[in-house]
Amino acid sequence: MLNLPNFLASIRILLAPLMFWIILNPQVFTNNGFDVSWNYYFASLLFVLASATDFFDGFIAREWNQMTMLGAILDPLADKMLTLAAFLGLMVTGDASAWAIYIIIVRELFITGLRTVAVSENISVKASWAGKTKTVFQMIAIGFLLMHWPFASELLWFAVLLTVYSGGEYLWGFKNALQKDNK
């Protein structure tokens, strides 16, 4: 069902490749007489707008009781598409560490696989505060990297640490849920 929260997640899915394209094509601005910083501003604006839809789709879904199975799939997919589009674009342009991005991608793929197994086993493992904090710090790191602000690399590596920690926490929660289910 395409309700407002699912529509907002869909917008995030559509903005991700557009932002990725802008990150990779600064000549769109420089060839038209603008400073390359306009590329950073526009990519950042798209990222902030898309990130805002993440907050609002979850808030509206909970407050208006519009949580759906489609939303449970679309929301994390949209989050990953947005953050990975930004991280991959920043890696390709040399603005983000390839190792940091590799670690983030591996964790995201691993947890996505684990979620698939959990669903197939009818096990519910909810997102933790560590996972939500990880997402916030990834988004902050992306903003700093897009704008070429000081401490961007340090924020990225802090986000990597949170990413690994939250992945371990998710794995631990899955293991405990699996053990409870087998008793």
Side-chain angles (χ1 to χ4, degrees):
M1 177 167 116
L2 191 62
N3 56 20
L4 183 56
N6 295 344
F7 177 73
L8 291 172
S10 299
I11 288 174
R12 200 159 58 257
I13 289 171
L14 294 174
L15 288 177
L18 177 61
M19 180 196 57
F20 182 67
W21 182 82
I22 289 168
I23 292 169
L24 296 181
N25 294 287
Q27 71 275 9
V28 170
F29 293 94
T30 57
N31 289 350
N32 289 304
F34 292 97
D35 187 73
V36 71
S37 62
W38 281 95
N39 187 53
Y40 310 149
Y41 300 147
F42 196 63
S44 296
L45 175 65
L46 285 177
F47 183 75
V48 167
L49 289 173
S51 296
T53 68
D54 184 28
F55 168 78
F56 286 110
D57 71 7
F59 178 78
I60 291 168
R62 285 185 299 278
E63 290 297 312
W64 295 359
N65 197 25
Q66 292 189 353
M67 298 170 81
T68 65
M69 184 60 77
L70 177 62
I73 295 167
L74 275 184
D75 184 57
L77 175 65
D79 292 347
K80 284 171 190 25
M81 287 180 69
L82 179 65
T83 56
L84 292 179
F87 280 140
L88 289 172
L90 289 161
M91 183 185 73
V92 168
T93 61
D95 295 314
S97 163
W99 277 108
I101 304 313
Y102 173 76
I103 293 167
I104 290 170
I105 290 171
V106 167
R107 183 268 188 203
E108 297 301 339
L109 290 172
F110 180 74
I111 297 303
T112 299
L114 205 57
R115 282 187 175 139
T116 303
V117 171
V119 167
S120 72
E121 296 292 321
N122 205 22
I123 296 171
S124 175
V125 183
K126 303 254 187 227
S128 68
W129 279 106
K132 293 175 190 295
T133 304
K134 173 262 317 179
T135 300
V136 168
F137 273 92
Q138 282 183 356
M139 291 181 170
I140 291 169
I142 289 168
F144 271 66
L145 289 163
L146 285 171
M147 293 301 296
H148 296 89
W149 285 343
F151 305 109
S153 291
E154 291 81 359
L155 278 169
L156 173 60
W157 281 106
F158 184 69
V160 168
L161 288 173
L162 288 173
T163 299
V164 170
Y165 175 80
S166 68
E169 190 177 76
Y170 192 91
L171 181 59
W172 186 262
F174 175 78
K175 179 183 137 309
N176 289 340
L178 196 58
Q179 287 174 340
K180 281 183 189 174
D181 201 43
N182 288 332
K183 286 185 179 181

